[in-house]
Amino acid sequence: MNVASVGRRPPSRRGREARRNLTAYGFLVAALICFGLFSWYPMVREVLLSLQENNFVDAPTWVGLDNFETVVEDPAFAQAWINTAAFTGLALLIGYVIPFCAAVILNELRHAKAYLRFVVYLPVMLPPAVSVLLFKWFYDPGPGLFNQILGFFHLPGLAWLDSTDTALISLVIVSTWMNLGSGTLIYLAALQTIPSELYEAAELDGAGMFKRIRHVTIPQTKLILLVMLLLQVIATMQVFIEPFMLTGGGPENATVTVAYLMYQYAFNFGNFGGGSAMGLMLMIVLIVFSAVYLRVSRENT
Amino acid sequence: MSSSRRALGLLIVTGLGLSVAACGSTAEQPAPAASAPGGSAKAAAPVTISVGCQPPKTNPLQRKDWDDDVAAFQKLHPHITIDSKDGFPCHDVKTYDAKLAGGQMEDVFYGYFGDVQTAIKAGQAADITAYADTITTLKDIDPSVMAAYTVDGKIYGVPRGNYKVGLVYNRKLFTQAGLDPNTPPKTWAEIREVAKKISALGPGYIGYGEYSAGNTGGWHFTQSIYGRGGAVVDETGKKAAFNTPEGKAVLQNLKDMRWTDNSMGTKQLYQWDDLMRLMGAGKMGMILGAPDVITELHDNRKAKYEDFGLAAFPEAKATLGGGDGYMFNPKATPEQIKAGLLWLDYYVLTPGRGQFDYARQKATGRAVGLPDNNVWGDSPTGQKLLELRKANSTLPTENFAAYVEGSADIPLKLEPPMNQQIFQILDTPMSAVLTRQDADIDQLLAEAEAKVNDVLSKAS
């Protein structure tokens, strides 16, 4: 690769460095502009909006913490946080474990691996609107698929989305199904980096499948498991599509989440200040959670 | 690493930066320069207006009407340039309020009745009182319709269409169930009987459908209580007024139909799209709705016009007014407002022209005859519109006769203030009676009343 120097004075070291830095800065500037425009600016704007009464036409008025007061006093506010926490908790129990198990099983399989990987990833490729329609039918308390399956085993049918008791967990199931593919693929990639000698050694030591998973697989993928946990909590705390499209917050507010209420304020009630206040609260909760989580997990590793 | 490769890197980076910058500037939407009217001596200063709700390309006939009329109008008024903005749907619930709140509306923008008062109070619509007489049929517009656009005697917009809520029913299912599709139910007792018979047709058949989620439950609670002569808020607009015998009757009726008659299907928590989908699929018997429901079923759900009938709201003492129209961006100049009103007068508010050019609609093979619009009521202009519609009718208008005759005397009532907040609260009693057999109506209404009072007290 000496083409550049042919018939030319080799550039001075400083010049070369400057040019290289220029390229680096060029790349950096593009990234900074993107982040600034689409990430940081909206965040700053949200903080400002949450302190304003703003219809985006007249000059905004500063209202201090009035917007926060409005949303905190909303009768659905407490319920929204409880629902969101419950959704996140249930999604951890169900949605965190299942993709990992799926990945472990897929990794063990000898045949039809590519096909199964495709099948597992398929729900991710379906547009949410399609998945939602599908589940509306699955969940029909009358002739829906799930109740027909239950009926086949002579089990009583459930009301699924149409009951305050089961609506939230039904949403968790949809959410898990829709996101299963991405998680599984990431775990699969992680599993493939585990050296097979470790399994062989474990096997020689007489470890069964569960012991191998416990003592080899999990420790070896700990880092990715920890990161995925954090990402999942951040994602599920912002759950919106599922209640928005499947239940409209019902029945009796049983599926109103923080993000759903935020949407209601901003886009249905025309109260952008209130919506921003909700969003800011959610952001602060997530930042605090992430900071604590990172500190704790770093201490443990 | 060769320097040419490095240069390429730089090029990509700069390109990226430029395209980002370009994105930023297009969002500004500079007003397109109006082409000067060639040689016209008396031409007023050129003015360009952006107008919302141009029919989408997926609706080529209506779009052609619009585009043809824009061309004809611009010939008539050479100084005006109309910059049509199409949107599908014109009112997308997901973006409408954000666009409105973001001040991104067209100079002449579209909106539902339900949006109007909110927009006016939030300062998002311009006062057009001084120019309103540009609309030649203004004095004939139904006062109860015009009231939607009026606050303290000032006018903020004009209607494009209005209709009263009635009962939409599937004529085919009536026949299948051994009922006469030409005598739709007139009372709630009759609706219950019909719903039972349609549900009895087999699994999957639903006699009567109702919303209960995503604020639509509260919206239809409002329709139902208006029909029974009740109200959602009192006349001062500061107190809830639905914890009454009328409110209880609405919920009790739904509860009975859902649990005693089992005529409302098993799945609930329906939102707007669900009922449209189910009605379009042809297994749902009846829903509360206005004539635009039939248009929606035909245009977007592949259903046939002749399969649906329309009746007046049962036992109605009043009915919720639905409709749409145009308002003006507060940033619009007086010249733009005048130009916009001239256009609306041309296309929207003259019988026999623009949207009411029934002859053209018939000639191009479109359905004419749905009682979907009469902003002029019984006035001379209104009568003229009815005559024109009848003369060019292509649909079995007798299927809608019950609605036209029955609705004429029912007074129109607008949505309550803080409508969406109140609707959200009223979703709870609606979803409760439809999903819980042991729902306590008195308690549900009392709780909702307290919440609505709280919302109203904070709003004022």
Side-chain angles (χ1 to χ4, degrees):
Chain A
M1 294 266 262
N2 51 3
V3 196
S5 52
V6 173
R8 240 206 275 167
R9 207 162 52 116
S12 71
R13 210 180 131 218
R14 194 186 286 175
R16 206 186 305 160
E17 229 163 59
R19 208 174 306 162
R20 189 163 54 208
N21 284 345
L22 203 63
T23 315
Y25 284 126
F27 274 107
L28 199 62
V29 163
L32 283 179
I33 288 174
C34 281
F35 268 109
L37 215 57
F38 300 115
S39 238
W40 300 325
Y41 172 69
M43 261 192 250
V44 172
R45 192 87 175 123
E46 185 187 30
V47 175
L48 295 179
L49 263 178
S50 71
L51 303 170
Q52 288 175 341
E53 194 184 316
N54 193 340
N55 61 15
F56 294 99
V57 179
D58 300 324
T61 40
W62 294 94
V63 294
L65 295 175
D66 280 9
N67 290 325
F68 291 88
E69 216 181 300
T70 308
V71 293
V72 169
E73 283 173 2
D74 189 302
F77 178 81
Q79 176 121 46
W81 281 99
I82 293 169
N83 290 343
T84 305
F87 183 93
T88 307
L90 288 168
L92 271 187
L93 282 180
I94 301 171
Y96 184 62
V97 181
I98 288 181
F100 186 70
C101 296
V104 169
I105 294 168
L106 274 180
N107 203 38
E108 295 293 318
L109 289 177
R110 307 239 179 276
H111 305 288
K113 227 174 182 175
Y115 168 73
L116 285 171
R117 258 198 312 245
F118 172 72
V119 168
V120 167
Y121 196 68
L122 196 62
V124 180
M125 291 188 275
L126 280 184
V130 174
S131 314
V132 160
L133 263 187
L134 209 61
F135 271 89
K136 272 186 181 167
W137 171 61
F138 287 173
Y139 280 144
D140 190 317
L145 178 75
F146 288 169
N147 274 0
Q148 289 200 4
I149 293 174
L150 289 177
F152 183 78
F153 292 108
H154 300 287
L155 291 165
L158 289 171
W160 300 106
L161 295 169
D162 286 21
S163 156
T164 46
D165 300 328
T166 49
L168 206 60
I169 188 130
S170 304
L171 291 187
V172 172
I173 293 171
V174 181
S175 167
T176 304
W177 184 80
M178 290 204 297
N179 299 310
L180 177 68
S182 309
T184 307
L185 280 198
I186 291 171
Y187 290 134
L188 258 181
L191 290 179
Q192 255 137 53
T193 62
I194 303 175
S196 55
E197 301 94 85
L198 292 178
Y199 287 112
E200 279 160 29
E203 223 163 320
L204 284 178
D205 288 344
M209 187 166 118
F210 288 103
K211 277 208 164 150
R212 264 180 289 156
I213 290 174
R214 203 177 151 242
H215 294 291
V216 180
T217 316
I218 292 178
Q220 286 293 315
T221 50
K222 193 172 175 189
L223 194 67
I224 209 99
L225 280 169
L226 287 172
V227 171
M228 288 293 282
L229 184 84
L230 180 64
L231 290 180
Q232 191 186 328
V233 169
I234 291 173
T236 49
M237 283 289 280
Q238 303 180 56
V239 57
F240 173 71
I241 295 270
E242 291 86 352
F244 177 67
M245 296 189 77
L246 274 164
T247 58
E252 300 174 67
N253 283 351
T255 55
V256 170
T257 62
V258 173
Y260 182 80
L261 196 60
M262 176 171 84
Y263 172 86
Q264 286 270 46
Y265 265 92
F267 299 110
N268 283 334
F269 305 166
N271 184 344
F272 267 75
S276 302
M278 287 282 338
L280 197 65
M281 282 188 255
L282 184 59
M283 192 171 97
I284 290 169
V285 167
L286 288 176
I287 288 175
V288 170
F289 170 80
S290 308
V292 170
Y293 178 84
L294 285 177
R295 158 78 48 102
V296 170
S297 61
R298 207 168 292 154
E299 272 166 13
N300 287 344
T301 42
Chain B
M1 188 65 58
S2 75
S3 65
S4 61
R5 180 101 48 102
R6 231 178 284 143
L8 183 69
L10 254 180
L11 206 67
I12 292 171
V13 169
T14 4
L16 198 66
L18 279 176
S19 61
V20 167
C23 265
S25 67
T26 46
E28 296 286 309
Q29 270 194 21
S35 53
S40 172
K42 65 174 182 78
V47 54
T48 300
I49 45 169
S50 53
V51 182
C53 201
Q54 175 193 28
K57 281 181 183 153
T58 48
N59 197 342
L61 292 173
Q62 264 192 41
R63 192 178 176 94
K64 189 170 177 311
D65 287 357
W66 172 287
D67 290 345
D68 288 351
D69 284 4
V70 164
F73 174 80
Q74 289 181 160
K75 206 170 244 174
L76 210 63
H77 304 278
H79 68 291
I80 301 174
T81 306
I82 290 181
D83 175 19
S84 309
K85 303 281 184 201
D86 75 352
F88 179 74
C90 290
H91 178 119
D92 183 349
V93 278
K94 287 190 205 68
T95 58
Y96 184 85
D97 295 291
K99 267 177 77 184
L100 184 63
Q104 293 166 20
M105 284 299 185
E106 298 84 5
D107 300 324
V108 185
F109 68 92
Y110 174 86
Y112 290 163
F113 277 14
D115 308 319
V116 180
Q117 296 282 328
T118 323
I120 296 172
K121 281 183 188 131
Q124 288 153 349
D127 178 359
I128 59 162
T129 318
Y131 323 102
D133 56 5
T134 310
I135 305 288
T136 45
T137 60
L138 186 73
K139 63 170 178 26
D140 271 0
I141 296 178
D142 182 343
S144 71
V145 171
M146 220 36 227
Y149 289 93
T150 314
V151 170
D152 300 332
K154 289 195 177 114
I155 300 172
Y156 290 88
V158 291
R160 183 180 88 157
N162 96 293
Y163 29 74
K164 295 165 177 175
V165 172
L167 182 78
V168 180
Y169 63 97
N170 186 321
R171 292 174 58 88
K172 240 170 133 179
L173 291 184
F174 268 56
T175 313
Q176 250 173 281
L179 299 154
D180 177 10
N182 295 322
T183 50
K186 287 198 175 75
T187 64
W188 283 107
E190 285 172 24
I191 286 186
R192 279 186 69 173
E193 287 313 307
V194 171
K196 274 196 269 189
K197 284 186 180 145
I198 290 174
S199 297
L201 285 173
Y205 286 92
I206 299 172
Y208 180 76
E210 188 52 288
Y211 301 119
S212 53
N215 308 357
T216 56
W219 175 49
H220 265 209
F221 175 86
T222 304
Q223 295 185 356
S224 306
I225 197 171
Y226 281 7
R228 290 176 187 269
V232 170
V233 298
D234 69 2
E235 268 143 36
T236 64
K238 297 200 164 94
K239 275 246 169 290
F242 55 79
N243 190 2
T244 55
E246 291 86 12
K248 280 172 198 154
V250 170
L251 295 181
Q252 188 63 50
N253 179 61
L254 287 172
K255 197 177 166 186
D256 290 343
M257 288 178 80
R258 168 70 184 91
W259 301 104
T260 311
D261 302 350
N262 204 8
S263 61
M264 293 185 65
T266 42
K267 176 91 188 73
Q268 299 298 329
L269 297 185
Y270 289 135
Q271 305 186 48
W272 182 81
D273 189 67
D274 297 304
L275 286 196
M276 293 305 125
R277 182 166 45 82
L278 289 163
M279 281 301 280
K283 282 194 166 184
M284 183 174 269
M286 300 171 283
I287 61 168
L288 296 178
D292 65 327
V293 168
I294 297 184
T295 312
E296 167 69 22
L297 293 175
H298 173 266
D299 289 356
N300 299 323
R301 316 282 162 168
K302 300 194 163 53
K304 289 190 198 126
Y305 278 117
E306 55 268 31
D307 287 348
F308 294 96
L310 200 58
F313 200 95
E315 303 171 39
K317 297 194 173 73
T319 189
L320 183 76
D324 54 8
Y326 281 100
M327 288 176 278
F328 292 79
N329 193 313
K331 290 171 191 157
T333 63
E335 286 70 33
Q336 284 178 315
I337 292 176
K338 269 181 253 173
L341 283 167
L342 276 174
W343 164 246
L344 294 178
D345 182 58
Y346 186 89
Y347 187 79
V348 176
L349 285 168
T350 307
R353 224 164 52 190
Q355 66 159 342
F356 293 122
D357 191 344
Y358 292 124
R360 173 169 66 183
Q361 291 172 17
K362 190 183 179 183
T364 45
R366 267 169 286 175
V368 177
L370 206 64
D372 58 351
N373 200 355
N374 186 359
V375 296
W376 297 286
D378 265 344
S379 69
T381 313
Q383 294 294 343
K384 194 174 157 197
L385 182 82
L386 282 182
E387 275 164 37
L388 283 168
R389 185 153 66 201
K390 207 169 176 185
N392 294 291
S393 171
T394 64
L395 294 182
T397 40
E398 62 275 13
N399 291 359
F400 319 124
Y403 172 82
V404 177
E405 285 154 25
S407 298
D409 298 330
I410 306 176
L412 184 146
K413 215 171 153 156
L414 289 176
E415 288 181 0
M418 311 293 286
N419 51 357
Q420 293 295 330
Q421 263 122 317
I422 291 176
F423 292 166
Q424 185 202 13
I425 292 167
L426 288 172
D427 265 1
T428 295
M430 289 290 273
S431 59
V433 294
L434 290 175
T435 61
R436 202 149 51 76
Q437 201 164 359
D438 61 354
D440 179 346
I441 290 174
D442 290 329
Q443 191 197 340
L444 286 163
L445 279 176
E447 280 171 13
E449 183 184 29
K451 287 180 190 171
V452 169
N453 279 336
D454 194 41
V455 163
L456 291 170
S457 73
K458 278 181 191 130
S460 46

